[in-house]
Amino acid sequence: MVPDDDTQTADERWLCAVLQRQGLEVEPARLAELARAQALLARYTEFLRQASPVSVRHLGQPHDA
Amino acid sequence: MMPEADGDTPGLAQAARALRAGSLSSLELTRHCLARIAELDPGLNAFVTLTEERALAAARQADEELRAGHRRGPLHGIPLGLKDVIDLAGVPTSGQSSQLHGHVPMRNAAAVDRLEQAGAVLMGKLTTHEFAFGPPRWGPPGPPARNPWHAAHFAGGSSSGAAVAVASGMLLGALGSDSAGSVRSPAALCGVAGFKPTRARIDLRGSLPLAPSLDCLGPLARSVEDCALLYRALAQPGEDFWRADELPWGEIRGLKIGVVRSFLDERSGTSAPTRTAIGDAIATFEALGCEVRDVSLPAPWEWNAAGMVILLGEAFAYHEHWLRSRPQHYGAGLRDALLLGATLSAADYCRAQEHRQALSSNLDALLEDVDLLLCPIQASAAPPLDQLTTWGFLEKPSYGIAFNLSDNPALSVCCGFGPQGLPLALQLVGRRNDEITPLRAGHAYEQACEWHRRRPPL
């Protein structure tokens, strides 16, 4: 696991923590690149979050909204 | 008859007719393919494992049966290959990964059983990307396949060896797998036909999973007719099935074709040569009497959003154990891609499935008004291998994954050649469980254009 250090960005620290919690590791030299990919993936998950009709944001709508 | 007078390999349908007539033997054809493999494969890397003795024995058996009048169908005596994620009993399935070193399945995949029952001559296992997903990999267990039209260019993925072997005449057909375009994209970049049927049509048992809710098996061959013969032998029988030797061709006049503009316009990322070639293909379909009109679907990136979250989530679930216990046996590119799946939440996955349903309903509604959709399968011709980016599957739109999400049959057909002489392709998409309509339209298009008759400069 990559030790937490001051040179890591917030995204890299978050990624390390998520992986560590699941017993997974990323090679230190590949951390920045993987964080960049995760940011690309996050654009997709954020879009899906915004597009989803099933959320307390839509409380009061019928179940099949 | 020897394979072609000019040394070219015959198409599958043509060879089947010659085998039936007795003017060609399976042994001659198999030896011809083995000679092509010996000559060309050192530069193209299509094969992971060549099963030469097994193939020669199968060819001899086919000849004996054919001479005795026991013809099993159009694949009897035909040399074919399998992407190396599909089990062939007694032969390693590597998945192009060190993780599977020494893995030799005891039984055939269900689809391989069907090919053997049809009398096919199985020539070996074909190059893929690691577990059908990683980027092309130069390290062990093998190098990436190279495009026969230009060896410095990408052959597509992940059924790359299948497309290369067919395009270069090493084989007459091959079976690949397709979870996000992995049959159709390499077929497109190598100038052959590739067909992804509705998922349940070809039994997946005995093939390595990538993303179980997206995975399909599908054939690649030089022409749509050859693909249809392969599909017919591979598929579970259905009510719409045609007789093995009588393909369901005929008039396509009056067929309603919807052109998916959001997949084709400049904002979708397609190159100018691709747009021009598809524009010409649209004119050809109009000349054939089809009613062509524009239709609207959400843009490719929106399908990619749902598709990649589902694919990464399901692939992570499959590989999680080894990512923890032996991560060093993955190539770095695949390991990183799989780790992305660990960053997704259950809510992310559920929302992606929910969005998939909405997108698929949208597509189903379109296909009530038209018989077929037409769109690109690749943004452009094959890029140079050294220009591929690690995260291309997240950065660039996919034109293939949409129809894995919606589970519609989709066919990739060559529709011209770009400035460097590299193939371009279009995609024809039918209604779920209507495999005949895209195959029939693709065949009619090929007869009108004959792009599929061009051969790589080998």
Side-chain angles (χ1 to χ4, degrees), chain B residues 39-269:
Chain B
E39 179 191 355
L40 298 173
D41 200 49
L44 295 177
N45 310 325
F47 277 81
V48 179
T49 306
L50 182 63
T51 54
E52 181 169 347
E53 292 308 315
R54 183 186 188 125
L56 289 168
R60 288 190 184 98
Q61 184 185 341
D63 284 336
E64 280 176 26
E65 291 175 352
L66 288 163
R67 271 196 297 271
H70 300 138
R71 185 172 181 270
R72 302 194 203 182
L75 300 194
H76 202 173
I78 299 287
L80 304 174
L82 305 169
K83 181 178 180 175
D84 202 13
V85 297
I86 300 165
D87 287 348
L88 177 62
V91 176
T93 298
S94 79
Q96 207 84 16
S97 179
S98 304
Q99 288 287 7
L100 294 180
H101 181 71
H103 170 61
V104 181
M106 306 276 289
R107 297 194 335 198
N108 281 343
V112 173
D113 273 342
R114 290 190 74 87
L115 292 177
E116 289 199 329
Q117 285 157 10
V121 173
L122 297 177
M123 304 283 283
K125 307 298 286 293
L126 302 166
T127 303
T128 173
H129 296 182
E130 189 172 14
F131 281 104
F133 185 47
R137 195 179 161 188
W138 272 261
R146 299 205 169 248
N147 195 309
W149 295 89
H150 195 314
H153 284 248
F154 187 39
S158 60
S159 306
S160 46
V164 170
V166 169
S168 59
M170 296 188 224
L171 296 172
L172 281 73
L175 178 61
S177 69
D178 187 321
S179 308
S182 287
V183 161
R184 292 159 286 156
S185 294
L189 297 184
C190 293
V192 299
F195 185 51
K196 181 206 82 67
T198 311
R199 186 164 44 254
R201 284 302 178 101
I202 302 181
D203 194 330
L204 279 154
R205 285 176 298 163
S207 58
L208 295 174
L210 170 57
S213 81
L214 301 170
D215 295 344
C216 295
L217 297 178
L220 299 93
R222 274 188 168 171
S223 69
V224 175
E225 179 179 22
D226 294 354
C227 259
L229 290 170
L230 278 165
Y231 167 71
R232 172 66 178 76
L234 285 161
Q236 327 263 15
E239 287 177 7
D240 59 346
F241 253 30
W242 58 90
R243 284 184 53 189
D245 281 309
E246 293 175 7
L247 291 163
W249 307 143
E251 188 86 349
I252 63 167
R253 181 170 298 281
L255 199 69
K256 293 177 187 161
I257 299 179
V259 177
V260 186
R261 283 291 162 196
S262 56
F263 279 45
L264 186 57
D265 64 22
E266 207 167 344
R267 284 174 302 167
S268 76

Side-chain angles (χ1 to χ4, degrees), chain A residues 14-15 18-19 21-27 30-31 33-55 57, chain B residues 301-302 304-306 308-309 312 316 320 323-324 327 332-333 335-337 339-344 348 351-352 354-355 389-391 393-397:
Chain A
W14 176 85
L15 183 58
V18 167
L19 296 178
R21 206 161 49 228
Q22 299 179 67
L24 300 164
E25 296 187 3
V26 58
E27 285 179 27
R30 301 184 69 87
L31 177 60
E33 186 60 16
L34 190 60
R36 188 176 80 78
Q38 202 284 322
L40 293 169
L41 181 60
R43 289 190 313 183
Y44 286 164
T45 53
E46 184 53 30
F47 163 75
L48 294 168
R49 193 190 318 275
Q50 293 297 325
S52 173
V54 181
S55 163
R57 288 186 293 119
Chain B
W301 69 265
E302 196 171 321
N304 219 38
M308 282 304 156
V309 168
L312 289 168
F316 175 69
E320 182 180 11
L323 283 167
R324 283 208 189 92
R335 187 172 61 237
D336 286 357
L339 285 174
L340 283 177
T343 70
L344 295 167
D348 292 329
R351 281 191 281 262
E354 183 185 285
H355 202 65
T389 60
T390 311
W391 306 112
F393 67 91
L394 292 171
E395 293 169 315
K396 295 178 181 168

